[in-house]
Amino acid sequence: MQNHRWLRTPHGTPRRISYGADYNPEQWPREVWDEDIRLMKQAGVDVVSVAIFSWAALQPAEDRWDFAWLDEVIDLLHANGIGVDLATATASPPPWLTTAHPEVLPQTADGATVWPGGRQHWRPTSPVFRRHALALVEKLAARYADHPGIVAWHVSNELGCHNAYDYSDDAARAFRAWLQARYGTIDRLNHAWGTAFWSQRYGSFDEIRPPRRSYAFPNPTQQLDFARFSSDALKDHLIAEREILNRITPDIPVTTNFMIMGETRHADYADWAHEIDFVSNDHYVTEGRDELAFSAALTSGVARHRPWFLMEHSTSAVNWQPINRPKRTNELVRDSLTHVAHGADAVCYFQWRQSAAGAEKYHSSMVPHGGEDTRVYREVERLGGLLRRLDPVAGSDRDRSPVAILFDWDSWWASELDSHPTDRLRYRREALDWWTALLNAGVRADVLPTDADLSGYRLVIAPVLYAVPQGLRARLEDYVRGGGHLVATYFSGIVDEDDRVWLGGYPGAFRELLGIRVEEFRPLWDGETIGLSIGVRGDLWSEPVDLVADDVEVLAAYTDDDLAGGPAVTWRPVGAGAAAYVSTRLGADGLGAVLPTLLERAGVASELPEPLRGTVELAVRRAGDRRIRFLINRTDDAVRLDGIEGEYLVGGPDLPPRGVAVVG
Ligand code: GLA
């Protein structure tokens, strides 16, 4: 991270939890803008993101610019005390550009062109696109450099949401340069990629292409490197825009909105976070409330526990799922405050006013089609009031937890490549299952990139940590020998950073540490499960585990089939700590049978009174000596917070279904 500069406060106003939305006034006649301002002030909005998709409005033709409307919007917002997070407007190129320069349009792995008509139809590596985009950034930065209403720059929008993987000739050229920088010589690449296989040996970098559609499985390390390259190509665009902004407006912080949510995986955000002043994230609920909390904790991990900006989420229904349901009572407030609990210092939505036309007219917003006399707007106003009570939280870090879950983009990309023992494995699902199991046990966890400092964590969980370079292997060993407790799951420690197998038996990188050896993976059929001696069943995966050290203890054995009697879950004391292994997928419920032993041995106890464990999620922010506790009702029933002492900033001891209390 550059400096952790937060929003510029125009009038030296004290920091608070900011509130707002994407604001798209160009969709509306001028008289609506005054009504917008009235309703924003009424709801307590103090920041909006403007001009995200405004390229065509700002530059109607290559040689014509129109900033008058944006001048007026920014002045109006500023005069009313609403800060502007100004977008660089480069997210979607206008029709004149793609007509004049069709060579900026991305190509699929089959070589098909992705045409305009939607949005984000540009190649991340196109020099022509880059030139036009940077010209726009330069114009905007110069025009608004001295405007006190600009509180931050918002680079592009959700970089790679649609255009993450481009297989065009531009991409091929950039991929070759990226590979040359990574490997130096073609011999090193040939070794890393294992090109002795299937006659794939390259004579020079010029012979390499992106993994376009081929027969059989494309080379796995080529696929992995293409995922890394694609993340880097987008990061490169972010840096190019940021450089211009930093040069012309050095006092204005720069951010871009990440997409840490669900299965969105195209960008290594742990790496991108170093390039911006503060992390911003967009999150939409697709897999339930635990996934929301997990994503928020991961966003905090990526932000290295500094406050981050929730740039987008929804007040109610989205429009892009097969079936789109409104949020239920209390969900709007609960979802937003869960993000704050995990470190968000700004709560913003897509979008301010629900569009009357276009592809997102059925997406919820702060001001629905029905106007201010609606359930959603009333909830928006209520949340605006609640956020004011949370101002003491603003600027505080998310408090460290006793347990850490490691999350690694390389392992995500590599573990789900094709030609594996099973194609059913879902990397993020395993991490999420551990998160839910810990919530069920009433224990707080951090979700951390693998380069995080692990000292101080009692228990570190490595779910499907598949790709383990030598350096990470050594750090985890040191962590254990120094007194830490590490839990690795099936399909961890299998390959190095080149996707080359650690030889000698699985899990090669952790075999000695765990004191086990696995000769063959034994994935399970769809619907098949396998019993464990602790009364739960695994699915997806199983293994014949051999013990190769005398001091390995079997915490659970398999009970079925040819694995009956063999170890399923193991524990081994190592140095001052211990290393444990879980060889099958237990799911959140099954992990609940294993966790108490792991937690107890690691010396981790729940901070919640017994009756609240599982029903209430606890998240803590630390403002100096003050620990501010968020108690979030995970259930659809009322819960009484007996045994929680302190001053209630939000709510009271009687939590309604899906309610939140904040105790300072
Ligand atoms: C993304 C985009 C927004 C909007 C929302 C809808 O997050 O950034 O422009 O399309 O999705 O959910």
Side-chain angles (χ1 to χ4, degrees), residues 28-278:
W28 299 94
R30 174 64 185 82
E31 60 273 17
V32 176
W33 301 0
D34 296 319
E35 178 70 355
D36 287 335
I37 297 288
R38 182 181 73 78
L39 292 176
M40 283 180 194
K41 289 169 86 167
Q42 189 169 296
V45 165
D46 67 335
V47 67
V48 289
S49 298
V50 178
I52 292 175
F53 292 104
S54 301
W55 193 341
L58 294 170
Q59 191 182 9
E62 178 155 13
D63 53 357
R64 263 198 304 128
W65 299 87
D66 178 7
F67 291 102
W69 68 273
L70 186 56
D71 293 350
E72 192 176 351
V73 168
I74 294 174
D75 287 346
L76 185 66
L77 290 162
H78 180 56
N80 285 281
I82 299 164
V84 175
D85 169 48
L86 186 57
T88 56
T90 56
S92 212
W96 62 259
L97 197 158
T98 49
T99 303
H101 296 288
E103 71 272 25
V104 306
L105 298 172
Q107 286 183 351
T108 66
D110 286 316
T113 297
V114 179
W115 298 102
R119 64 176 178 184
Q120 215 178 52
H121 35 271
W122 52 276
R123 300 178 184 179
T125 56
S126 160
V128 177
F129 177 81
R130 182 73 62 88
R131 183 158 43 80
H132 282 89
L134 296 190
L136 173 58
V137 176
E138 183 110 23
K139 281 262 188 206
L140 277 165
R143 186 166 190 99
Y144 298 108
D146 297 322
H147 202 298
I150 313 298
V151 297
W153 285 111
H154 179 301
V155 169
S156 193
N157 189 61
E158 291 188 342
L159 285 161
C161 171
H162 309 285
N163 64 348
Y165 304 113
D166 165 43
Y167 298 80
S168 66
D169 286 345
D170 280 334
R173 266 187 296 276
F175 187 39
R176 286 178 203 125
W178 185 93
L179 291 167
Q180 183 120 35
R182 181 177 175 87
Y183 294 107
T185 66
I186 199 67
D187 287 349
R188 286 207 52 222
L189 178 141
N190 278 316
H191 176 76
W193 287 19
T195 56
F197 189 75
W198 281 355
S199 182
Q200 291 175 349
R201 190 185 162 283
Y202 291 100
S204 81
F205 285 96
D206 296 338
E207 297 169 1
I208 301 175
R209 294 190 172 78
R212 291 175 180 155
R213 168 90 86 126
S214 59
Y215 285 136
F217 301 113
N219 181 292
T221 314
Q222 179 186 14
Q223 293 189 63
L224 177 59
D225 275 343
F226 189 65
R228 291 169 171 150
F229 155 77
S230 297
S231 174
D232 280 356
L234 290 160
K235 185 179 74 170
D236 205 55
H237 183 88
L238 162 64
I239 292 170
E241 290 202 12
R242 188 206 64 204
E243 299 279 271
I244 292 176
L245 299 168
N246 283 170
R247 172 167 53 78
I248 303 177
T249 63
D251 296 334
I252 303 180
V254 178
T255 193
T256 191
N257 46 344
F258 293 176
M259 303 175 72
I260 297 178
M261 61 175 144
E263 290 293 317
T264 306
R265 73 183 67 193
H266 62 269
D268 180 349
Y269 290 127
D271 173 42
W272 285 31
H274 297 295
E275 305 300 339
I276 48 183
D277 286 296
F278 58 88

Side-chain angles (χ1 to χ4, degrees), residues 221-551:
T221 314
Q222 179 186 14
Q223 293 189 63
L224 177 59
D225 275 343
F226 189 65
R228 291 169 171 150
F229 155 77
S230 297
S231 174
D232 280 356
L234 290 160
K235 185 179 74 170
D236 205 55
H237 183 88
L238 162 64
I239 292 170
E241 290 202 12
R242 188 206 64 204
E243 299 279 271
I244 292 176
L245 299 168
N246 283 170
R247 172 167 53 78
I248 303 177
T249 63
D251 296 334
I252 303 180
V254 178
T255 193
T256 191
N257 46 344
F258 293 176
M259 303 175 72
I260 297 178
M261 61 175 144
E263 290 293 317
T264 306
R265 73 183 67 193
H266 62 269
D268 180 349
Y269 290 127
D271 173 42
W272 285 31
H274 297 295
E275 305 300 339
I276 48 183
D277 286 296
F278 58 88
V279 165
S280 299
N281 196 47
D282 295 355
H283 186 274
Y284 291 91
V285 181
T286 52
E287 299 167 42
R289 59 108 20 231
D290 287 352
E291 192 282 328
L292 183 158
F294 174 83
S295 289
L298 175 54
T299 305
S300 179
V302 157
R304 276 71 180 176
H305 296 313
R306 305 309 318 279
W308 49 277
F309 194 115
L310 177 62
M311 191 64 85
E312 290 182 26
H313 66 319
S314 69
T315 57
S316 193
V318 298
N319 68 314
W320 41 261
Q321 301 260 51
I323 297 170
N324 300 292
R325 289 266 290 231
K327 289 194 178 180
R328 295 175 299 168
T329 308
N330 290 335
E331 276 183 329
L332 181 154
V333 169
R334 182 196 63 187
D335 290 355
S336 304
L337 293 190
T338 302
H339 288 290
V340 176
H342 289 288
D345 262 11
V347 171
C348 290
Y349 294 101
F350 176 82
Q351 62 175 329
W352 165 251
R353 183 180 282 280
Q354 189 167 5
S355 302
E360 294 186 317
K361 58 183 172 296
Y362 296 118
H363 193 293
S364 61
S365 65
M366 293 176 91
V367 182
H369 287 151
E372 70 182 298
D373 184 16
T374 50
R375 178 184 82 106
V376 166
Y377 183 77
R378 279 189 287 276
E379 282 294 280
V380 161
E381 264 193 289
R382 178 163 83 93
L383 178 59
L386 294 178
L387 291 179
R388 293 292 58 79
R389 296 193 221 156
L390 291 177
D391 284 336
V393 170
S396 68
D397 289 357
R398 182 173 173 278
D399 195 32
R400 268 175 79 117
S401 306
V403 178
I405 299 172
L406 297 180
F407 194 89
D408 179 44
W409 270 264
D410 261 5
S411 283
W412 192 358
W413 295 332
S415 66
E416 294 189 23
L417 286 171
D418 51 36
S419 62
H420 275 198
T422 176
D423 68 2
R424 308 296 205 254
L425 182 146
R426 290 292 167 269
Y427 173 82
R428 204 175 192 261
R429 166 80 191 275
E430 185 63 34
L432 185 52
D433 282 345
W434 283 91
W435 171 263
T436 298
L438 286 159
L439 282 184
N440 291 343
V443 171
R444 291 187 298 130
D446 294 345
V447 187
L448 301 179
T450 49
D451 64 357
D453 176 11
L454 300 178
S455 56
Y457 287 101
R458 301 295 310 153
L459 182 65
V460 171
I461 297 162
V464 190
L465 189 61
Y466 172 70
V468 177
Q470 174 55 32
L472 176 58
R473 174 193 191 177
R475 281 204 313 115
L476 291 174
E477 269 188 36
D478 288 348
Y479 163 75
V480 170
R481 289 188 196 288
H485 303 85
L486 176 74
V487 184
T489 76
Y490 62 94
F491 221 38
S492 292
I494 304 300
V495 298
D496 65 11
E497 67 271 36
D498 295 329
D499 198 38
R500 292 181 65 99
V501 172
W502 285 96
L503 297 175
Y506 314 121
F510 300 141
R511 197 174 58 232
E512 282 175 33
L513 185 69
L514 295 165
I516 62 163
R517 185 167 177 273
V518 174
E519 290 179 28
E520 288 179 289
F521 306 122
R522 186 177 174 278
L524 301 179
W525 306 118
D526 288 340
E528 188 187 10
T529 62
I530 188 161
L532 267 64
S533 56
I534 50 173
V536 296
R537 303 190 71 79
D539 65 8
L540 181 85
W541 197 275
S542 64
E543 288 169 347
V545 177
D546 290 326
L547 307 184
V548 294
D550 296 340
D551 49 0

